[in-house]
Amino acid sequence: MAETLELILAEREELTPYVTRFVLRSPTGATLPGYSAGAHLTLTTPSGEKRSYSLVEAGEQQPTEYTVCVRREDQGRGGSLSMHRHARIGDTLTVSGPHNSFGLEPARRYLLIAGGIGVTPIRSMANELRRNEDAIVDVVYLSRSRDDTAFAEEFEQSGAVVHHSAVQGRFDLWPLLAEPDEDTRVYCCGPQPLIDDLLALTMHWRPSRVHVEDFAGVDALGGRQVPFQAVWEPTGEQITVPAGRSLLHTLRDHGIRVPSSCESGTCGSCRIRLISGEADHRDLVLTEDERSRYMMPCVSRAAGPEVSVAPDGFEDPPH
């Protein structure tokens, strides 16, 4: 797993009535682990909830600070509210990361599409790509209104298409996507309806050219849902996981306590050992190497009829 750091909240700034910018630095002034555009951190908020937030600045090999933006979600599960209401300059926050599952791949041209707070990784990407004079970068930034658009002036001055649906109506992405281009990569981050629209409009594109990230995390009950068996390795208990329930909640139903926080595949709190069987990984946390040994039961399921799992840190049984 990514390195855990204790960082000081050095700056906070309200960018809009709902979006606040937070800057984190080492208490000793030391440089921090490097990252590339599209990376995110997992913060332990003042309430104890863990939430993942994209880094908004261009990638750096030896950064002196990390900057994230958090949108206040009044109907959320409390992480963003905790950051907005209780995170104060000078506070120490526990940070895990950076981790990147949404990194830039080589291309001649990039079409970057942001929806709402999904602008955070897109801003990082746009600024990183502009260092490369050979890359063609087009940016579309969709929001409801200008008052709720973080970095609005910056994107307007950069030549990006900035569209406000409350005033201008729905933006038509089709003219930008009608002709697939092998020299172009599309990156999109935003709410699920935007992701769904983009995927529908790019069905005729080669899948490897289209990259999406849903900033809300993963729907535990989305995608293909079939029941499967889970064996809790420490006791050998056989557990049937129904089609409409997550592995995490089913383990709890059987009195097995697994730590968790976001329950959307973004924070890594509920990581468990994958002893045998194949997992249908749906999280945004594990690396490709880690996926052979771990799974996130909040969103991931078995790819076959059965998996054998155990607490994080459990040693493989002798063979």
Side-chain angles (χ1 to χ4, degrees), residues 89-103:
I89 291 176
D91 288 354
T92 298
L93 296 176
T94 301
V95 174
S96 176
H99 178 75
N100 200 340
S101 56
F102 192 49

Side-chain angles (χ1 to χ4, degrees), residues 287-308:
T287 65
E288 286 302 315
D289 179 62
E290 290 171 333
R291 288 185 169 195
S292 65
R293 307 189 308 278
Y294 302 99
M295 68 183 294
M296 294 298 176
C298 62
V299 294
S300 298
R301 303 180 69 82
E306 183 178 288
V307 290
S308 179

Side-chain angles (χ1 to χ4, degrees), residues 126-294:
N127 288 336
E128 187 164 308
L129 286 168
R130 289 187 180 115
R131 297 172 177 171
N132 178 5
E133 296 181 356
D134 295 330
I136 301 170
V137 184
D138 295 312
V139 181
V140 177
Y141 183 6
L142 310 176
S143 70
R144 189 174 185 281
S145 67
R146 195 180 191 281
D147 289 342
D148 195 29
T149 304
F151 308 108
E153 185 174 350
E154 173 187 320
F155 277 88
E156 290 166 350
Q157 292 179 353
S158 73
V161 174
V162 182
H163 183 92
H164 310 302
S165 61
V167 177
Q168 300 166 280
R170 180 172 176 166
F171 185 82
D172 185 7
L173 289 170
W174 177 246
L176 303 175
L177 303 168
E179 296 296 329
D181 182 358
E182 286 296 302
D183 293 327
T184 295
R185 288 188 184 270
V186 180
Y187 285 82
C188 179
C189 183
Q192 193 61 50
L194 173 61
I195 300 296
D196 291 343
D197 284 349
L198 179 93
L199 293 176
L201 293 171
T202 54
M203 290 182 67
H204 57 307
W205 285 63
R206 192 148 61 97
S208 63
R209 310 319 264 181
V210 180
H211 311 262
V212 299
E213 184 171 69
D214 173 7
F215 61 71
V218 179
D219 178 3
L221 299 180
R224 181 172 178 264
Q225 296 291 320
V226 295
F228 64 94
Q229 290 292 119
V231 179
W232 187 246
E233 191 69 27
T235 63
E237 183 176 1
Q238 298 270 346
I239 298 170
T240 299
V241 182
R245 196 151 180 79
S246 71
L247 173 57
L248 175 65
H249 288 151
T250 305
L251 290 172
R252 288 179 181 167
D253 294 341
H254 287 255
I256 298 169
R257 307 303 299 174
V258 176
S260 68
S261 184
C262 75
E263 298 190 10
S264 61
T266 64
C267 77
S269 297
C270 67
R271 187 179 80 163
I272 58 176
R273 286 278 284 114
L274 178 62
I275 304 299
S276 65
E278 183 180 356
D280 176 11
H281 293 288
R282 304 180 182 187
D283 66 276
L284 305 177
V285 178
L286 295 176
T287 65
E288 286 302 315
D289 179 62
E290 290 171 333
R291 288 185 169 195
S292 65
R293 307 189 308 278
Y294 302 99

Side-chain angles (χ1 to χ4, degrees), residues 115-126:
I117 196 61
V119 73
T120 49
I122 297 300
R123 180 179 184 263
S124 175
M125 290 175 171

